């Protein structure tokens, strides 16, 4: 009986790890704002991330706003946390909405922590980029297998 319970626990853990990959993504709203989407296997207690290739003009809303997080930003960095110990529930959704100067190249220096301040190991998921045509103009993307995709309107000289 204990073996069955252990097997069930392992299978449940593996399934939840597949269902929620602790990732952040970007979604264009078409109006100069971009959703930072999240998929999390645990409650989120705070976050910090850099936006590459664009200047941040605002950061608000999303699950961070709904949870009462303090959200602040500089030209390239977004920071969100709670002064009351509130968390964003595990699952999928929009973490925060960013006003950006142009299409971003990605998210880097990502730190998403749980309610105790431990790093949850989040990564940036660029979505369904299958070739360079899926990228914003004048951007590069390095895939996990080492392939380099690019999109440019200019001739590359070297």
């Amino acid at each position: 009986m204990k073996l069955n319970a252990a097997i069930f626990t392992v299978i449940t853990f593996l399934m939840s790890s597949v269902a929620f990959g602790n990732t952040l993504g970007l979604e264009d709203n078409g109006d100069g704002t971009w959703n930072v989407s999240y998929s999390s296997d645990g409650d989120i207690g705070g976050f910090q991330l850099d936006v590459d290739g664009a200047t941040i003009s605002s950061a608000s809303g999303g699950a961070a706003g709904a949870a009462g997080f303090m959200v602040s930003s500089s030209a390239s960095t977004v920071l969100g946390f709670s002064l009351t110990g509130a968390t964003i529930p595990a699952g999928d959704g929009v973490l925060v909405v960013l006003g950006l100067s142009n299409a971003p190249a990605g998210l880097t220096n990502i730190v998403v922590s749980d309610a105790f301040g431990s790093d949850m190991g989040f990564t940036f998921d660029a979505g369904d980029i299958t070739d360079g045509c899926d990228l914003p103009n004048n951007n590069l993307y390095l895939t996990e297998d080492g392939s380099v995709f690019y999109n440019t309107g200019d001739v590359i000289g070297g």
Side-chain angles (χ1 to χ4, degrees), residues 14 16 18 29 34-35 43-44 50 65 72-73 75-76 82 85 97 102 108 117 123 129 131 133 136 138 147 150:
L14 292 175
S16 67
V18 170
N29 292 322
W34 289 71
N35 292 340
D43 294 347
I44 296 172
D50 290 343
S72 63
S73 63
S76 61
S82 171
V97 180
N102 55 287
T108 56
T123 59
I129 295 177
D131 64 27
C133 296
N138 296 325
S147 298
Y150 66 93

Side-chain angles (χ1 to χ4, degrees), residues 24-109:
L24 297 180
L26 287 166
E27 302 166 352
D28 186 358
N29 292 322
D31 61 0
T33 65
W34 289 71
N35 292 340
V36 175
S37 60
Y38 72 96
S39 180
S40 179
D41 65 5
D43 294 347
I44 296 172
F47 61 90
Q48 180 175 331
L49 56 96
D50 290 343
V51 177
D52 290 343
T55 301
I56 302 168
S57 59
S58 64
S60 63
F69 275 34
M70 301 270 307
V71 178
S72 63
S73 63
S74 68
S76 61
T77 303
V78 179
L79 174 67
F81 60 93
S82 171
L83 294 174
T84 65
T87 59
I88 297 168
D92 300 312
V94 174
L95 181 63
V96 66
V97 180
L98 304 178
L100 300 177
S101 61
N102 55 287
L107 303 175
T108 56
N109 300 320

